[in-house]
Amino acid sequence: AVQQTQEKPDSALCREEARAFILQELRKVEERGGEGLMLAEPHVRYEAGKRSKSLVKVKRHVEAEAKVVAAHIGTGKNAHCIGSLELELPPCAMPGKPDEERRFFCGSGLSNELRNAPLGRYVGLVATFKMKCMHPRDGRPREPSFVRFRSQEDFPWPPPASSWPLPVLAGAGNESSSNATGGSALGAGG
């Protein structure tokens, strides 16, 4: 169900109030099993089937780290370059699971520059990725997207268990390990 909230023009919210209001509405949607919000600029008409700069997606994500164990050639437009990185979660993320069961693929978020590197270039590096949550069935990251590489000096591997976030399913309200994103609408980067 789509719910629109319209404020009176003379009751403009300051940035902090707007952020608090958006997070409150996001919590309500998540409690009902929704994934996120779509924020639209007032008085801009929606155009079906077209991308719009007046529409912003807001949903939670968690950032975490994993080690690159392989890179794989892509398909389609990425047929001659890196299509995805194979990442391995640290043992503290999934205690008792063997290495193979802590592995997952991450292709989203890679820039063309990163994709055009030689296949073995990133093996052994630690990558930061964002995800929606850990999947309830197999415990792997859900909707992973590459963010950046970390240096070994800044982020030794494997990390201690206390430093690795253990995200919960959307709607559980664990804000200490979640970030709401939505570009300039919230004043936070994605």
Side-chain angles (χ1 to χ4, degrees), residues 61-155:
H61 77 268
V62 176
E63 285 190 356
E65 280 73 30
K67 192 170 194 171
V68 179
V69 294
H72 300 275
I73 295 290
T75 59
K77 73 175 189 171
N78 296 320
H80 301 291
C81 58
I82 296 174
S84 65
L85 298 174
E86 187 172 348
L87 303 176
E88 184 178 293
L89 296 171
C92 61
M94 298 172 74
K97 297 278 187 175
D99 295 351
E100 301 76 36
E101 291 183 29
R102 296 192 323 265
R103 292 182 181 175
F104 63 98
F105 295 94
C106 182
S108 177
L110 294 171
S111 67
N112 288 336
E113 182 182 351
L114 291 173
R115 290 182 187 280
N116 287 319
L119 270 182
R121 166 74 173 87
Y122 306 121
V123 173
L125 296 180
V126 175
T128 298
F129 65 96
K130 64 183 180 180
M131 62 181 153
K132 183 176 176 184
C133 60
M134 298 297 270
H135 201 282
R137 283 190 316 241
D138 63 11
R140 290 185 173 117
R142 190 166 173 192
E143 300 176 20
S145 180
F146 176 84
V147 175
R148 67 185 163 275
F149 288 110
R150 304 288 297 261
S151 72
Q152 290 287 353
E153 295 80 36
D154 293 340
F155 199 86

Side-chain angles (χ1 to χ4, degrees), residues 20-60:
F21 176 77
I22 291 167
L23 290 174
Q24 176 185 353
E25 294 300 309
L26 179 60
R27 268 196 275 320
K28 290 178 188 176
V29 168
E30 290 173 338
E31 287 169 1
R32 294 191 311 259
E35 184 176 304
L37 298 172
M38 294 298 288
L39 304 180
E41 287 185 42
H43 312 297
V44 175
R45 295 183 57 90
Y46 174 74
E47 296 182 54
K50 294 186 177 181
R51 288 189 180 265
S52 171
K53 292 184 180 183
S54 64
L55 202 55
V56 178
K57 206 183 287 189
V58 180
K59 61 182 182 179
R60 293 187 195 275

